[in-house]
Each structure stands twice: as structure tokens, then as C-alpha cells.
Amino acid sequence: MPTNLTYTQLLEDNAWLRKSGDSFYFQCTTRTVQESKLFPVNPYIALSYYNAWYRWPELVRKISASMSPEEVGDRAREVSSYVNAISLSTIPNFFLGGRQFLIDMGMINPTDSLDDIHEVLDFSRRANLAYHRQTGHVLNSDNSNRAQILPERALQVFEADAIGCVPGDRLHSAVAGFLATASQYAFLKNCECRLGIHNSGPYQVGANEMLVRDFVDLAEGDYPWLDGVASEIEHNNLTMPVIMKDTHFNIVDDWGSFEATPSYDHDNVVAVGLYTSDYLSDGYIPVHMENAGDLADYLDLLREKMADATSQLWKRMAGWSRDQMIDAGSLVYYGVFKDFAHFAGTYEQDDWCMLDERANRMKPLMNDEYGRDAIAEVVGFISLTSQQESPYVMSRYAAQPADMWSAIPYAVLHDAPSTATAGPIRPGVTSLEPKTALYTTTRGKLTQDECNAAAKGFVPKVFEDGGRYLDDQWVKNNAASDRARRLYEATQEHSRHLQGRGSLLQREDIEKIRNG
């Protein structure tokens, strides 16, 4: 029967589908297909696409019933979480990857599950719009590959509180050691992918530039394989604003990766900070930022804890079967949506750490060769039969008669047969050990129910009195108002230099305050 969706909804869905596919193609083909000696990366990526296709529509409805995508995007802009540029840009693509595989196998038609497709695409597009509202773009690539996400009030705090360092001093050396160890640990605990690392910026800081570096899901939390291994890591998310001299970050792309001119050189780091935050925190909370020595000591301690956790994790993962490695990796990819549930207070471990039985039936296909070729064809070569277009077509980046994702045919508005949904979530399976530890948050270690109850009852201070809608454009014309002062003071609450300083500070004032 014809769909109940409107022509406008289909136009918007197809435009977002095509925009997402073009961005994804650019990102994938500038990185190549990767293989690992430990994890079957491509097989688990392919399997995650099926799981997203079958499970996300119902989970989107569950999240939407508690919190709109715009509100999740607005809250995520105020803290560090898995709701960031990389997860927001990949959500439509992982979901549509499952759809494209099934279309190519002849198991579904492009006119199937249209309500499901609309739910996921509409939700992800609206969340992206809210998250990126500072510049009015939808993706970083729309803004010439700049990820200018944060409002002025947050950046003022980062700049004012950043602690200066020079090559050779303790803090400068501790930062280099921490960044190297944190990157290695984040890569491994995400099953050898970089989804746990995110960057935003660059932000202009006088003659310098600031890059805001996030490491998420570091402690005991959603991933059961971190239970015990990460028990000594006290913060789940860490943010390090890094101010660089003589460096221009010419690319911070849709996956939160950066390129700089000249190349990133740690000797050009002139100041740093360290913060934690999550879906339960009022913005960013400083971590051991009393002085340079305090921060250097903590970074060295953290480096040792992460090195130990990395060693323990290697031993745990080395004992896993191939099935366990595929399950864990696919759940990391599939889980790019999971923090939406944390913000909304609807998180359930079985929703996000199980393979739907319909996805799991594809696992026997996932040997290394099939997984590699499937991913290479769908996101690199665009060579699946179902991806081919008319010979007159020249796609955006590939310039070939093919597009990554099949559009929804508009004939469903008239008489083309269609279906609405793939149906509810079915029982899940996993070969992984069940989760046993509590969830690490900025309010301590909580049970799942405590996390959800806290999230449902939480309203960030910057959202009070309509503050959610007071953006930089409003502040520009109302900086002297009491509402602007309260908004800025809420962000400055934990600042060592700006607490209570209000909304009338100019950048020159920040520089003077920082320099004493």
C-alpha cells in the first residue's frame, strides 16, 4: 500500500540520505579499508550495519518518547559524550548500510520499512542541526571541515583556565605522554577503532588556535569488557583543550579527525586544560587544574592507569574467540547511538549490547574475505549492483554512475507498494560475558536504574529560564542583561579564573586574566 509519509518528508529524507552518503564516501575513501591482526574489523563493521537496521528504529521511538532529538543535540553541545560529530555523522550511514546490503541480497526492496527509515533519518538530521547550531551547518564538512561546536562562554573558560607549558617542563611532557597513552587505550577498548576519540575546533585564540580533544567511555560503563579492567579509571569522559602556536588546523572533519599546517608538533603546545563531563553534569568540571604541578602529577598517574588497563585488556581480548571479537566490535559500531538513550534516561544494557537474532543470522557469512570485500564494495568502490544509477549520473565525489545509498522511490506516494517497518526488536544474543560493574558517571558509580532516574530528573543550569535558547547571536545584543549574566555564570561555576565574572568580558579581558 502507499506510504503515509508526505512528499516533503520524502524529499527531506532523500536529501539527508544523499548528503550523508556523500560525506561518508569522502571519509571512507580518504582512509582506505583497514585490517587488524587482532580484530576482524571489517566483518564486525558489516554485522553492525545489520544490527542497526533491525534495532535502531524502535530504539529511536523509545528515546523520542522521552526526549526530542533537538534537546539531546543541545545538551550534548554542553558536555563531552558519545553524542558528538563523529557519531552524529555516522548514524544514518550505519543504518543505511544494513538497508543497502539487504537490498542487494534481494531480501528487501527500496520501498520497504519506510516509517523506520524516516524515523532514523529524521531523528539524526534534527539532532545534527541542534548540535551544530552554533554555525548553522548540519555537518562539519558543510563548514569547510571546521567543527566550531562550542559557545563563547565555554571557550572563554577553556582559554582563561588553560595552564601554560613549554617544551621540556613537567606539564608539557606529561601532556605528550597522556595523549599517546589515552589514544592507544581508546583505540583498543573500542576494539581497534577510533570511535572513542573526538576533536572539535579549531577556535581562534588571538594569534593561536585551540583544539578541544575528547576521549569518551574510558571507565567502567556500557562496555562489559571494561568491567574490572578499567576500575581504577575514575572519569568516563575526559576533555583536553589544547592551545597551539604556529599551527593552523585546516581540517577537522565529519569524523572529528584533524589535519594541521604545518603538521601537528607537540612542541607547539602552549597551554592545556583537563575536564570531565557527561549527560549528568552541569557542563565541564575541571580535573586537577589547581596548578601546572597538580595537573602534571595527575596526567602521569592517569597515564600509568591507562597503560595498566591497556595491558589487562590485551590479555582479556587475546583470550576471546572470533565470535566474541566480532560481537564486541559490532556492538561498538552499533552503539554510536547509545548515549542518546543515556541523555533521555531510557538506557537498557540489553538494547545496546545484544545482536538482534535477525542480524546474528548473517554472522556465518562474516569471514575475513567476505567482510573485507563487502565493506570495500559498499563504501569504497560503490560497486554493488543495487548502487548503480543511470549511465548519465556523475556522483558527487566518485564521479561515477553510482551512489552509496539507494534513495526512496517517490512512486510510493501514488501506487507503488511499500511496507512501514521491519517490526519490533527481536530477542538478542551475545557471546560476551554479561556486564557486572556499575556505570561510572560524574555523580559516582551508579546502577542502570539510578543512571536513568538521574537523567530523567536532570535539567542543566544553562537550560533554566529559557537559557537553552540563548545562543551567541542573542548574547551579542543582550550581553548586559541579567539573563546573559546568569547564563555565563552558570558556565563559569567551576572556573578557577572566571567564576562569577559574568557576560561582559571581551577576549582581551580573558587574555589579561589568564596572564595574571
Side-chain angles (χ1 to χ4, degrees), residues 305-412:
K305 289 182 176 180
M306 287 185 175
D308 181 63
T310 301
S311 177
Q312 292 187 56
L313 200 51
W314 269 113
K315 293 175 184 174
R316 175 171 290 180
M317 289 175 165
W320 278 357
S321 65
R322 179 182 172 85
D323 265 7
Q324 288 175 305
M325 289 189 180
I326 289 179
D327 284 3
S330 65
L331 292 172
V332 168
Y333 263 67
Y334 161 78
V336 295
F337 220 138
K338 68 180 178 58
D339 271 19
F340 280 84
H342 278 307
F343 277 101
T346 62
Y347 183 88
E348 292 187 64
Q349 189 73 17
D350 285 354
D351 286 344
W352 300 102
C353 281
M354 290 281 182
L355 289 171
D356 193 282
E357 63 182 12
R358 293 166 292 181
N360 197 55
R361 66 185 164 167
M362 304 296 181
K363 194 188 290 185
L365 295 173
M366 300 299 168
N367 60 38
D368 287 347
E369 292 74 22
Y370 182 87
R372 176 198 63 203
D373 292 351
I375 292 299
E377 283 210 61
V378 76
V379 302
F381 299 123
I382 319 181
S383 53
L384 297 180
T385 302
S386 61
Q387 293 177 306
Q388 306 312 302
E389 307 285 3
S390 100
Y392 297 101
V393 168
M394 297 176 68
S395 56
R396 182 178 178 185
Y397 292 118
Q400 63 190 66
D403 281 303
M404 189 175 287
W405 310 134
S406 296
I408 303 168
Y410 293 103
V412 296

Side-chain angles (χ1 to χ4, degrees), residues 144-162:
S144 193
N145 285 308
R146 288 183 181 146
Q148 297 193 310
I149 308 298
L150 301 174
E152 180 196 57
R153 53 191 160 79
L155 295 170
Q156 284 186 342
V157 171
F158 282 168
E159 183 189 357
D161 289 355

Side-chain angles (χ1 to χ4, degrees), residues 40 107 215 350 403 447 483:
M107 295 177 68
F215 298 90
D350 285 354
D403 281 303
T447 66
R483 294 183 75 193

Side-chain angles (χ1 to χ4, degrees), residues 273-289:
L274 187 68
Y275 299 83
T276 188
S277 60
D278 63 13
Y279 57 96
L280 297 177
S281 70
D282 263 316
Y284 294 93
I285 303 168
V287 177
H288 288 271
M289 287 182 60

Side-chain angles (χ1 to χ4, degrees), residues 203-210 243-247 270 514:
Y203 303 100
Q204 197 74 49
V205 181
N208 300 324
E209 292 187 5
M210 177 163 58
I243 299 176
M244 305 276 293
K245 67 174 184 179
D246 302 330
T247 305
V270 297
R514 180 164 168 262

Side-chain angles (χ1 to χ4, degrees), residues 149-180:
I149 308 298
L150 301 174
E152 180 196 57
R153 53 191 160 79
L155 295 170
Q156 284 186 342
V157 171
F158 282 168
E159 183 189 357
D161 289 355
I163 299 174
C165 55
V166 296
D169 71 19
R170 280 200 61 226
L171 179 57
H172 203 273
S173 299
V175 170
F178 165 76
L179 287 174

